[in-house]
Amino acid sequence: MPEQNLPSALPDPAGGARDYRLFWNLAAAGLLLRFLIMPYGGFPVDVGTFRAWAQALAEGGPAAFYGGGFADYLPGYLYVLWVIGEVNNTVRLSDQAYLFALKFPSAIADVATAWLVLVVARRFNARWALALAASYLFNPGIIFNGAYWGQADAVGAVFAVAGIAALGSSSPLWSAALLAAGAIVKPQTAPVVIPAGLYLLRRCARPAQGPARWDLLLGAAAAGAGVLVLAILPFGLGPLGLIGVLRTSLGVYPHSSVVAFNFWGATQGFWVSDGLRWLGVPLHTLGLAAALAAGVAVAVWVWRRPAQGGALLASAVLLLAVFVLPTRMHERYLLPAIPFFAAAAAVDRRMLGIYIGLSAVFALNLLYAYTRPYAQTFVLPGFIETTLFSDGATRLWSAIATLLLPAAFYVLFSHRPRSRSQTT
């Protein structure tokens, strides 16, 4: 089946060269801004946990990691922490330098993701791709999450965006390997495998020219599986062990919303058990069923419209759905959707408003979660707590995030690919 897709070649080579040249100037400024912030802040529990894991990996290696203490992360990001632990053993970092080192991978991932947003957006829009990339690079929530909070969600996101970007290459093996790497770093990016996998299946089964390429499809599956196996083997994990780590991660906070501005934050508030029932059905079951329904709807759409731009749009919508609908979501789990919406705005301009709205909600959600009394970080002025972060206000922000999901579905289902002339 021929692809209904925009050309992957840049329609304006001179403009593309200018955009890339200007981007690296912006990237230097973005990195400098992050470097100035990184020695400060840090969510105490998260930073302390990362530091303890880094030290445990440096001292005992990966094989002894699981079973030696609490661990709810998959092996992917643990390799990064292992390197940091080894560096600390060699040079004995100060506390401030250690904090900087823990945040450094997210800073690099932010720049790499912004560059990928530029690359992907250039395939669909020659005029404002640089603006989209810059908006992500200097997105307040993205900067706060990595450079100040000290979290690693950006590292999983960069692999997921790279996996979608690689769909335009001649071989799908890179795409499969990158998407698998993203999932093993941060499982919140795993839903991208659904639209990407269906796109690859249709592309290989019904190519625009020539016979079906089942060899490419099998190679992609092998590449993805190979990345997972190579990642978990040094940690002594098999498939059941990997599932066990996932179950541990999901079971840590059995609440409808773990301070996430989503559907459950709007209807239940925060820290409410997801074992409560609506019409006799537990909240966690309702959330899972809603997320599965969203996944099926997106999968059917991609199967019927197997275009690279469609896979990008579908990935953005699905990532938003798995933040808004299931229970046990944290505020940071919205991050992987944001670069996808930034790039998706080049495919369909209506996504721009959703991207802006989600960016605002994400920044507010992070600030709210970071400043709760139990976080032991800093206290906001009283007038902010009684206005911007009152119970009514947080339910409003949660409702806005929830309403952006049907808006995103509307854009997806009504999207029509543009012709080449419309991109120049």
Side-chain angles (χ1 to χ4, degrees):
M1 178 180 180
E3 288 189 45
Q4 296 178 347
N5 197 7
L6 298 178
S8 59
L10 299 180
D12 179 12
R18 180 180 63 251
D19 280 359
Y20 289 119
R21 184 171 60 253
L22 291 174
F23 172 80
W24 292 116
N25 293 328
L26 293 173
L31 268 181
L32 177 61
L33 175 61
R34 285 166 170 79
F35 286 173
L36 293 174
I37 296 171
M38 283 159 54
Y40 307 100
F43 196 83
V45 173
D46 292 348
V47 169
T49 299
F50 285 166
R51 186 164 182 167
W53 287 348
Q55 194 62 33
L57 286 163
E59 292 177 355
F65 182 78
Y66 291 108
F70 172 77
D72 62 346
Y73 266 48
L74 298 186
Y77 194 68
L78 298 179
Y79 285 100
V80 177
L81 295 178
W82 186 9
V83 171
I84 294 173
E86 294 288 359
V87 170
N88 178 62
N89 281 354
T90 301
V91 299
R92 293 299 175 185
L93 300 170
S94 67
D95 288 344
Q96 201 169 41
Y98 209 131
L99 182 61
F100 187 97
L102 289 173
K103 295 176 178 180
F104 184 76
S106 288
I108 299 302
D110 286 346
V111 174
T113 304
W115 180 78
L116 288 167
V117 168
L118 173 62
V119 169
V120 173
R122 285 285 307 170
R123 294 176 182 168
F124 302 98
N125 187 304
R127 289 172 294 181
W128 50 311
L130 180 63
L132 291 172
S135 72
Y136 182 82
L137 183 64
F138 293 100
N139 189 302
I142 301 300
I143 295 173
F144 187 92
N145 188 74
Y148 195 79
W149 184 308
Q151 260 295 344
D153 306 88
V155 179
V158 70
F159 282 106
V161 177
I164 287 294
L167 287 178
S169 65
S170 58
S171 172
L173 273 65
W174 276 111
S175 179
L178 289 165
L179 291 173
I184 203 68
V185 170
K186 281 289 182 178
Q188 292 80 19
T189 68
V192 179
V193 173
I194 296 174
L198 290 172
Y199 167 78
L200 289 176
L201 177 59
R202 290 298 300 267
R203 174 185 168 188
C204 293
R206 299 180 183 179
Q209 296 178 346
R213 294 299 307 272
W214 299 111
D215 57 326
L216 288 180
L217 191 62
L218 291 174
V227 167
L228 292 177
V229 170
L230 290 175
I232 67 176
L233 278 182
F235 285 85
L237 293 178
L240 293 179
L242 186 63
I243 293 171
V245 176
L246 280 171
R247 291 182 62 183
T248 298
S249 178
L250 291 172
V252 174
Y253 297 104
H255 307 288
S256 58
S257 172
V258 188
V259 204
F261 289 175
N262 63 4
F263 173 78
W264 300 106
T267 59
Q268 298 293 299
F270 309 124
W271 301 108
V272 175
S273 171
D274 66 354
L276 294 179
R277 295 174 180 266
W278 279 6
L279 301 176
V281 182
L283 299 185
H284 61 78
T285 302
L286 291 172
L288 178 60
L292 289 174
V296 170
V298 168
V300 170
W301 189 89
V302 173
W303 183 255
R304 295 178 63 184
R305 299 169 180 82
Q308 187 184 349
L312 173 61
L313 293 174
S315 296
V317 174
L318 189 53
L319 286 171
L320 177 57
V322 298
F323 172 77
V324 168
L325 299 175
T327 62
R328 308 188 182 190
M329 287 293 111
H330 295 250
E331 66 292 323
R332 298 174 290 100
Y333 293 176
L334 179 58
L335 187 147
I338 293 178
F340 279 87
F341 276 98
V347 180
D348 193 310
R349 293 184 182 181
R350 294 173 296 174
M351 286 295 192
L352 181 61
I354 299 173
Y355 166 58
I356 294 172
L358 288 176
S359 295
V361 169
F362 181 60
L364 287 171
N365 203 170
L366 289 179
L367 182 60
Y368 176 79
Y370 192 88
T371 55
R372 295 310 87 205
Y374 54 78
Q376 299 181 343
T377 53
F378 60 85
V379 178
L380 293 171
F383 74 91
I384 293 181
E385 290 289 348
T386 57
T387 55
L388 193 64
F389 290 149
S390 66
D391 180 69
T394 57
R395 288 179 183 261
L396 174 62
W397 310 141
S398 300
I400 290 173
T402 302
L403 291 173
L404 288 173
L405 178 60
F409 266 110
Y410 173 77
V411 173
L412 177 67
F413 291 156
S414 62
H415 172 69
R416 295 294 180 270
R418 292 169 292 168
S419 66
R420 181 186 181 104
S421 63
Q422 290 175 292
T423 69
T424 58

